[in-house]
Amino acid sequence: MAEETVGIIGAGIVGLAIGREITLRRPGTRVVVFEKEDRVAVHQTGHNSGVVHAGIYYTPGSLKAELCTRGAAMIREYCRERELPFDECGKLVVAVTPQDVERMDALAARAGDNHVPGLRRVGPEEIREIEPHCTGLAALHSPRTAITDYVRITESFGDDVVGAGGEIRLSFPVTRITEVTGGIEVASGDEAVRVDRLIICAGIQSDLVAGLAGDDPGPRIVPFRGEYMLIRPEKADLIRGLIYPVPDPRYPFLGVHFTRRVDGTVDVGPNAVLAFAREGYRLSDVSVSDLVQMARWTGTWKMAARHWRTGVKEMRGSLSKKAFMKSARNYVAEIGPEDVHPGGAGVRAQALDRDGTLVEDFRIHRLGRITAVRNAPSPAATSSMAIAEYVLDTIDGKRGG
Ligand SMILES: Cc1cc2nc3c(=O)[nH]c(=O)nc-3n(C[C@H](O)[C@H](O)[C@H](O)COP(=O)(O)OP(=O)(O)OC[C@H]3O[C@@H](n4cnc5c(N)ncnc54)[C@H](O)[C@@H]3O)c2cc1C
């Protein structure tokens, strides 16, 4: 790719990690990042739990399993080098019912296959030693799970790209992608920029942007809002690190958890409510065009038929603090609805296949000169630097895609 211009759509953590990787691997290649917002990391990257996952959950052999483990190590090293916040506060995945214990043991086997560093099964006494206000029948303790600030990391990746001669075109919503002889024209309204290659990392808009380039409509992105409750400061000290439930294996979401942030605040969340707009950060946000797109996708109806009960439960939690805190109180009974107030929210870009399956793994593929990141949900922030390596390997023909 030497002396080429590579365009990247999306200045989230994935797009800028890829931009940075190009400047390192291919000095001389010009990178231009197109971002519709007026700053970087506005969407998923700026609205997440800030957790650097250790790779516990992911199917062995999947891209998530591979890229999360490698990505976590790379993020750790990058934060150390750049003096960015990184706190290995550790995490407990807590089983509170016998069914949870069975699922937890299956998870432990999976984590073993994924070589999660330092992971141990602990009993009720050790749970108390690690998190004095948490109760459970058993738990997995991951001492290397960490917290960080993904916005600062993304800004730093952006500085690296610009420092290497690249450009970040803010307030440039890409509206047209046209293949021209020997290249691609990327346009926003009347302004067009010619690039030799294009990488699409448009998060919650990734299916629509890939569609501009002639890619398949599927998988479609369905937006799942994740709402957080902030614990009032007097109670925040009850939580030392990260406390998670054992996840329901039917869903790619990890369940409402207690999250310590690098700024010292602690929150509970996120839930997973089907949003009525791709960038629907509030319950009242509705986009007719997004709803029409969802309704036209047969996968949406198949998913709804399969999971409507969970959907109703999540919606109840969105409407009532008491319902929101119900499952969290199974682990930490001392924090109740009176101790929290609504915090922020994020919207997850979750890919959905036509048959109604929520796509588990990262999905990245090539269409000639264009590479499209079609599914990069959690742990894509953790994995971003490893995803960047993978994408470049795909372009170089070293990996599938
Ligand atoms: C609630 C929540 C909690 C999470 N917790 C964690 C966690 O703890 N750990 C973890 O590893 N991951 C977590 N994730 C996942 C993680 O945040 C995302 O996987 C990651 O941020 C994806 O990065 P991205 O760059 O692909 O997407 P984004 O950050 O969404 O960036 C995409 C960018 O593309 C831009 N764009 C879109 N369309 C266009 C267009 N037409 N023209 C120009 N620009 C465009 C957008 O404006 C946006 O800036 C969480 C996500 C959510 C929502």
Side-chain angles (χ1 to χ4, degrees):
M1 294 195 314
E3 290 169 26
E4 285 183 330
T5 298
V6 179
I8 296 173
I9 301 177
I13 197 165
V14 173
L16 286 174
I18 294 171
R20 176 178 179 274
E21 181 69 21
I22 294 171
T23 63
L24 292 175
R25 261 202 219 187
R26 308 276 180 203
T29 298
R30 187 171 151 67
V31 173
V32 185
V33 183
F34 303 101
E35 169 55 53
K36 71 184 173 75
E37 305 293 347
D38 61 4
R39 60 189 198 283
V40 307
V42 169
H43 290 293
Q44 294 174 93
T45 302
H47 293 88
N48 59 41
S49 298
V51 176
V52 183
H53 289 287
I56 298 174
Y57 304 99
Y58 317 113
T59 308
S62 64
L63 276 182
K64 274 192 179 177
E66 175 192 338
L67 303 181
C68 179
T69 314
R70 171 141 181 82
M74 293 176 84
I75 287 280
R76 180 173 191 254
E77 184 56 23
Y78 187 80
C79 288
R80 196 188 56 73
E81 253 177 37
R82 303 299 169 100
E83 298 181 358
L84 292 167
F86 186 91
D87 177 2
E88 262 180 14
C89 60
K91 156 162 148 178
L92 281 177
V93 181
V94 185
V96 293
T97 65
Q99 192 200 19
D100 275 354
V101 175
E102 256 176 54
R103 284 179 178 173
M104 188 194 80
D105 286 335
L107 204 58
R110 186 174 266 207
D113 290 342
N114 291 341
H115 307 290
V116 174
L119 192 88
R120 261 180 345 112
R121 191 185 200 281
V122 295
E125 295 77 33
E126 258 193 285
I127 292 178
R128 283 273 177 184
E129 276 165 33
I130 298 163
E131 286 284 357
H133 300 277
C134 175
T135 44
L137 298 175
L140 298 179
H141 182 224
S142 167
R144 302 290 295 276
T145 299
I147 51 175
T148 189
D149 182 337
Y150 285 120
V151 174
R152 287 192 56 194
I153 293 175
T154 306
E155 288 167 348
S156 180
F157 288 166
D159 291 345
D160 293 343
V161 169
V162 173
E167 195 185 349
I168 303 175
R169 301 285 308 263
L170 298 172
S171 305
F172 194 105
V174 174
T175 51
R176 185 168 50 79
I177 298 171
T178 319
E179 292 236 26
V180 291
T181 314
I184 301 147
E185 219 171 66
V186 179
S188 183
D190 293 338
E191 191 180 355
V193 179
R194 192 186 180 287
V195 297
D196 299 296
R197 286 180 189 276
L198 183 66
I199 303 171
I200 298 170
C201 311
I204 202 101
Q205 313 284 348
S206 60
D207 54 340
L208 300 182
V209 177
L212 295 177
D215 199 5
D216 272 358
R220 269 274 174 239
I221 292 291
V222 280
F224 281 92
R225 191 174 49 256
E227 296 154 333
Y228 293 90
M229 291 281 173
L230 199 60
I231 301 178
R232 57 186 172 88
E234 308 87 88
K235 288 275 179 121
D237 283 346
L238 300 189
I239 310 291
R240 287 182 176 169
L242 304 164
I243 305 177
Y244 279 62
V246 178
D248 183 333
R250 289 173 301 165
Y251 300 105
F253 313 123
L254 299 179
V256 165
H257 46 84
F258 291 88
T259 316
R260 180 161 281 281
R261 303 277 182 166
V262 286
D263 65 3
T265 58
V266 179
D267 53 35
V268 195
N271 55 3
V273 188
L274 190 62
F276 301 138
R278 284 177 188 252
E279 291 167 10
Y281 292 94
R282 290 166 310 178
L283 188 59
S284 55
D285 290 339
V286 177
S287 154
V288 175
S289 66
D290 289 348
L291 283 178
V292 168
Q293 275 147 12
M294 274 196 266
R296 283 196 180 142
W297 186 243
T298 50
T300 309
W301 298 102
K302 291 183 177 162
M303 174 189 73
R306 251 176 251 162
H307 301 299
W308 66 270
R309 276 192 190 82
T310 310
V312 170
K313 195 173 136 222
E314 291 290 318
M315 188 57 90
R316 213 179 286 140
S318 174
L319 295 168
S320 142
K321 253 205 249 181
K322 199 170 157 210
F324 188 101
M325 291 303 290
K326 194 166 176 262
S327 62
R329 294 199 85 176
N330 293 332
Y331 317 98
V332 183
E334 288 163 67
I335 298 178
E338 63 289 358
D339 300 315
V340 298
H341 59 87
V347 185
R348 302 175 183 87
Q350 175 60 51
L352 179 68
D353 272 331
R354 206 181 285 275
D355 67 359
T357 309
L358 294 162
V359 180
E360 281 275 350
D361 208 1
F362 297 145
R363 214 176 261 184
I364 297 160
H365 72 115
R366 255 186 86 176
L367 300 142
R369 292 171 176 272
I370 300 174
T371 302
V373 176
R374 294 291 300 255
N375 192 44
S378 186
T382 304
S383 316
S384 51
M385 297 176 85
I387 292 176
E389 289 182 334
Y390 178 85
V391 166
L392 284 228
D393 285 349
T394 312
I395 292 171
D396 291 344
K398 293 185 196 151
R399 302 279 308 246

